[in-house]
Amino acid sequence: MPAVTVENPLTLPRIPAHTGPQRKVLAVETAPTGFEGEGFPVRKALAAIKPQYLDPFVMMDQMGEVDYAAGEPKGTPWHPHRGFETVTYMIDGVIDHLDSNGGGGTITNGDTQWMTAGAGILHKEAPPEWLVQKGGLFHGIQLWVNLPGAKKMIAPRYQDIGSSSVVLLSSDDGGALVRLIAGDLGGHAGPGSTQTPITLLHASLSPGARLTLPWRKDFNALAYALSGNGSAGTEKTAFGSGQLAVFDGFGNRPGLATSGEAITLTAAPRSALEVIVLGGEPIGEPVAHYGPFVMNTRAELVQAFEDYQAGRLGVIPAEHA
C-alpha cells in the first residue's frame, strides 16, 4: 500500500516550505468500525466528530484494507442518492461503478470516481466477477461531500479520475509524497472538479518525515490516518491508524475563525504514515440526513423518498435490472 508511488519523490514539484502560523489540533478521535453494503468492513472516519466541525463533509468510510479469499469480495447493490456528491478513491484493488445516468466504469489502484448525485440517481458499486471468483486485496475510501441548497437539485454527473491524472507532489525536504486529487495546494490544482470548494489528498510520509501543507483560511482541516503512527500539529499530538485529527479554524463561519494558514503531520521515527487530508469551505446550512439522502429539511427528505418510490430518481438500465 498504496499502489501509486514514485521511486524518488525529489524528482517531483515540491510544496513550498511554510514558516507562518500553524493550526492547532483540537481533537483526535478513533473511528468506529462497522459494515456497509453487502457486508464489506469499514472504519467510519468522521463518525465520532460533531457535524459542525465537518461541514461540508457528511461521512467518510475507510473500506478495508482486507485481502479477500475467493468468493468473498462484496460491494453495494443498486441504491439511490440525492443532495450531495460521492467520491470513491481506490487505493488498492478493483471496483466497478454503474449508475442510472449512464456514468460508470472500472477503477483500480489509485483511480477515483466522483459522482454528483444532485437531483437524484441510482447506482451500484461492486467488485468485478473475476475478482469475486479469485479474491484479492481491497482498500479505498468513500467520501460524501454535501451540496449547498442551491445546488442540491442540479443534474447528476460522473467523473472518472484516473491515477495518471492525479497531481504528484513532494514535501519541501522530499520525505513525503502527496497525491492531490482535488483542490489547490501550493499553487498546484488537482484534477477533480468539485461543486463545493474542497481540497482532498493522500499523503505518504516516510519514517520520521514531516509534512507541512499550506491551507486556505476559509477551509476547515481534517486528517485521517489510514495506517502507521505519528503526530498531528506542531504540538505533536499523538495520531495513528484509524484516527482522525481535527484542526482548529472552521472557515468563514462566525466565531470560528482560523488560527493558522498551514497544517503539519509527522511520521513516527520507525513508522511510515499514510494519511487522507481533506478540508473545504463550510456551507453553513441546516443538514437533514437520512440514509442515502442529504437535504436541508425534513420535508425535502420526505420528498426524496417519495420521488425514489415513484421512480423519479432514475431507472436501473435494463441489462442490469
Side-chain angles (χ1 to χ4, degrees):
M1 167 185 146
V4 177
T5 187
V6 294
E7 185 172 338
N8 182 8
L10 291 173
T11 63
L12 300 173
R14 299 196 193 187
I15 300 167
H18 184 88
T19 57
Q22 296 265 341
R23 295 197 186 190
K24 296 180 179 179
V25 175
L26 285 184
V28 172
E29 298 288 350
T30 300
T33 58
F35 294 91
E36 290 289 345
E38 297 170 334
F40 58 84
V42 300
R43 298 200 73 157
K44 306 194 78 62
L46 310 184
I49 307 299
K50 293 179 180 179
Q52 62 263 37
Y53 299 152
L54 303 178
D55 189 8
F57 306 107
V58 180
M59 58 147 270
M60 185 171 76
D61 287 345
Q62 179 184 7
M63 306 179 295
E65 182 177 16
V66 57
D67 196 359
Y68 283 119
E72 289 185 343
K74 299 174 177 67
T76 61
W78 285 97
H79 59 282
H81 286 306
R82 172 180 279 179
F84 65 102
E85 298 184 290
T86 70
V87 182
T88 304
Y89 169 51
M90 186 57 58
I91 300 169
D92 289 293
V94 185
I95 197 165
D96 287 338
H97 169 98
L98 293 168
D99 68 47
S100 56
N101 197 47
T106 298
I107 61 168
T108 181
N109 296 346
D111 298 337
T112 301
Q113 57 186 15
W114 200 297
M115 186 184 78
T116 303
I121 199 167
L122 306 180
H123 84 140
K124 69 173 290 187
E125 293 176 300
E129 185 57 34
W130 65 262
L131 182 61
V132 175
Q133 295 177 7
K134 179 181 177 182
L137 187 63
F138 181 82
H139 189 205
I141 66 161
Q142 183 168 96
L143 173 69
W144 289 14
V145 185
N146 199 7
L147 289 171
K151 292 186 175 182
K152 285 192 177 295
M153 299 300 285
I154 62 175
R157 181 188 180 200
Y158 178 82
Q159 298 176 67
D160 185 0
I161 304 172
S163 60
S164 61
S165 66
V166 171
V167 175
L168 301 181
L169 305 169
S170 168
S171 58
D172 62 306
D173 63 358
L177 169 64
V178 171
R179 305 161 192 83
L180 181 59
I181 299 169
D184 298 318
L185 186 69
H188 302 276
S193 175
T194 70
Q195 295 292 332
T196 303
I198 72 166
T199 293
L200 173 64
L201 62 91
H202 173 194
S204 297
L205 284 72
S206 302
R210 173 192 51 78
L211 173 64
T212 297
L213 300 169
W215 213 248
R216 282 179 49 167
K217 280 189 173 184
D218 55 345
F219 278 18
N220 62 352
L222 309 164
Y224 176 72
L226 296 165
S227 67
N229 292 287
S231 63
T234 53
E235 64 272 41
K236 295 193 174 180
T237 302
F239 162 72
S241 181
Q243 292 187 312
L244 180 81
V246 181
F247 291 85
D248 69 354
F250 303 100
N252 53 12
R253 298 181 65 180
L256 296 175
T258 182
S259 61
E261 300 174 9
I263 58 176
T264 290
L265 302 165
T266 307
R270 293 183 176 86
S271 173
L273 183 63
E274 298 287 340
V275 188
I276 297 291
V277 184
L278 64 160
E281 182 178 13
I283 296 171
E285 296 176 355
V287 175
H289 172 205
Y290 190 86
F293 306 125
V294 183
M295 307 303 292
N296 290 122
T297 68
R298 184 181 183 278
E300 290 172 342
L301 281 180
V302 172
Q303 186 64 57
F305 276 100
E306 291 178 353
D307 288 347
Y308 168 54
Q309 292 166 353
R312 290 190 286 267
L313 268 65
V315 177
I316 298 173
E319 63 269 29
H320 301 291

